[in-house]
Amino acid sequence: MNASIVLLPGDGIGPEIVREARKVLEAVASAHRHTFEFTEKLIGGIAIDETGDPLPQSTLDACLASDAVILGAVGGPKWSDPAAKTRPEAGLLAVRRRLGLFANIRPIVARNALIGASPLKASLVDGVDILMYRELTGGIYFGGSTASDDGTTVADSMRYSVGEIERIVRLAAEGARSRSGRLTSVDKANVLAVSRLWRKTTERVVQDEFPDLTLEHQLVDAMAMHLVTRPKDFDVIVTGNLFGDILSDEASVLPGSLGMLPSASLGASGPGLYEPIHGSAPDIAGRGIANPLGTILSAALALRHSLGLAAEADAVEDAVDAVLDGGLRTADIADGGRSVGTADMGDAVVEALR
Ligand code: NAD
């Protein structure tokens, strides 16, 4: 197939890790006779420096015309002056909004070779394989705020419409159908009216359109406990923006390293945005020691969710496992394995793919 992929390296370690993801995608293309055309564009702090805008128009245009977008990370101390006119993160929020990305997907996979790095007991995390869907453009972060005249009382509104709930639930239900057939919806229906609408809508969508699935509901406070006491009992989880923000960060510690975890943000149509869940790691930028695997696994998600190349995505994930099983480690996951730099880790994944 022919696909056009936009690379947004961004700031800090972004350029180092995105370079490795590109290498891996080039290897996939040559092994499977695909043609991937790469366009590199500015976003974040470096875009502010060069154009004054954290999301230049030419970056947005290229993203809109592409099949998939792969992002490194944005931000860093250079641009963190609170008085600054604009900030790198504004570029990221703008690209998510302009691409209409309403669903954030995070696979939480405890990779065999790294079980020992998890803060939880090996017996609890061994075999964890969760796919979490978080609604990304609604809920309390977008419901607006009000304040009393004297500023002593402030309110943020949590809002969801039936349509917003339906589209994220459908996406998660399709994900569940392609896996174990089990879907867990997380809400706070015992207290919040928004959650009662969430629960009612979820039940209807699953009953009418996905009767083959097993749906269970969990209250968010209970779910926070279950994620660390019995994470293996969950497969596909769907929840709103606020609960998903908190639960996905909680779940991200299970596999043992921030540098390993990918994410995908998807809309109804158009390109998805794929990025590791970590930030720009300015403390190690430019030293060639960053872990590129979160970005490489994000590229695998792009193959699966935007390009329809599931077998190629599986191959990349298997190659990452093979490299880890072989004992290779970047400094952040060093556990007595052989410590290598960013480029060597990327090369090893390419080698394993072959
Ligand atoms: P961070 O994720 O950048 O770093 C936290 C710690 O993890 C650091 O010690 C870092 O060295 C380490 N780390 C992160 N990724 C790593 C990797 N791939 N390999 C090895 N070690 C890794 O979080 P932070 O320090 O809170 O934020 C730094 C900057 O990143 C800030 O400007 C923040 O705003 C920005 N940020 C950006 C994004 C994004 O672009 N999506 C997300 C979070 C933070």
Side-chain angles (χ1 to χ4, degrees):
M1 80 170 303
N2 288 341
S4 125
I5 299 173
V6 169
L7 303 174
L8 305 177
D11 307 316
I13 59 171
E16 299 163 60
I17 54 181
V18 168
R19 194 176 302 133
E20 301 314 309
R22 176 178 182 154
K23 253 187 213 170
V24 169
L25 287 171
E26 281 169 347
V28 167
S30 86
H32 297 265
R33 298 172 197 273
H34 302 306
T35 305
F36 296 159
E37 190 190 306
F38 296 96
T39 312
E40 211 166 286
K41 289 286 178 185
L42 298 173
I43 193 168
I46 186 170
I48 295 176
D49 287 354
E50 295 195 15
T51 71
D53 184 349
L55 181 69
Q57 189 64 43
S58 85
T59 299
L60 179 61
D61 291 343
C63 291
L64 286 168
S66 74
D67 296 301
V69 180
I70 294 175
L71 177 101
V74 300
K78 182 176 176 196
W79 305 280
S80 56
D81 176 3
K85 246 188 19 234
T86 182
R87 294 173 57 97
E89 293 77 10
L92 191 50
L93 293 179
V95 75
R96 285 181 184 152
R97 192 178 60 245
R98 299 299 294 271
L99 295 181
L101 306 174
F102 65 83
N104 183 256
I105 304 180
R106 274 195 202 181
I108 312 286
V109 179
R111 297 193 177 271
N112 259 340
L114 298 179
I115 297 280
S118 174
L120 297 195
K121 276 189 274 198
S123 59
L124 278 180
V125 280
D126 190 10
V128 164
D129 184 355
I130 296 171
L131 192 57
M132 193 178 286
Y133 286 75
R134 163 189 170 194
E135 202 288 329
L136 202 57
T137 54
I140 197 162
Y141 298 155
F142 295 91
S145 306
T146 54
S148 62
D149 287 345
D150 62 1
T152 57
T153 305
V154 177
D156 291 295
S157 299
M158 185 186 278
R159 283 171 197 276
Y160 269 116
S161 69
V162 167
E164 285 172 320
I165 302 167
E166 282 173 346
R167 62 185 187 178
I168 181 80
V169 169
R170 282 196 186 106
L171 212 57
E174 276 158 20
R177 189 173 260 170
S178 71
R179 290 166 55 108
S180 69
R182 287 180 294 123
L183 178 64
T184 303
S185 171
V186 179
D187 61 37
K188 186 72 184 167
N190 54 342
V191 178
L192 300 174
V194 176
S195 282
R196 287 192 283 277
L197 181 67
W198 180 281
R199 193 173 279 213
K200 197 170 122 192
T201 307
T202 304
E203 270 173 2
R204 177 177 46 75
V205 169
V206 172
Q207 219 165 52
D208 292 354
E209 301 171 38
F210 302 88
D212 48 312
L213 298 187
T214 308
L215 171 67
E216 70 160 341
H217 301 284
Q218 290 288 347
L219 295 173
V220 61
D221 41 347
M223 191 66 203
M225 287 194 292
H226 299 327
L227 270 179
V228 288
T229 53
R230 51 181 191 95
K232 273 187 273 192
D233 290 350
F234 300 95
D235 185 41
V236 178
I237 297 173
V238 63
T239 189
N241 204 345
L242 173 66
F243 301 153
D245 192 4
I246 298 166
L247 292 179
S248 62
D249 267 21
E250 183 191 1
S252 73
V253 304
L254 301 177
S257 169
L258 197 61
M260 292 291 309
L261 291 184
S263 76
S265 301
L266 304 178
S269 58
L273 176 75
Y274 301 87
E275 56 181 319
I277 70 159
H278 59 72
S280 62
D283 52 335
I284 57 166
R287 291 168 52 197
I289 59 168
N291 185 347
L293 294 179
T295 318
I296 289 171
L297 291 168
S298 300
L301 293 182
L303 292 169
R304 182 175 294 121
H305 293 283
S306 281
L307 307 185
L309 301 175
E312 287 82 341
D314 290 345
V316 171
E317 288 162 357
D318 290 347
V320 167
D321 278 333
V323 165
L324 292 171
D325 288 343
L328 237 55
R329 303 282 186 268
T330 42
D332 57 311
I333 48 174
D335 58 356
R338 190 152 70 81
S339 185
V340 296
T342 311
D344 286 341
M345 187 57 108
D347 290 344
V349 175
V350 167
E351 197 50 45
L353 263 175
R354 293 204 181 108

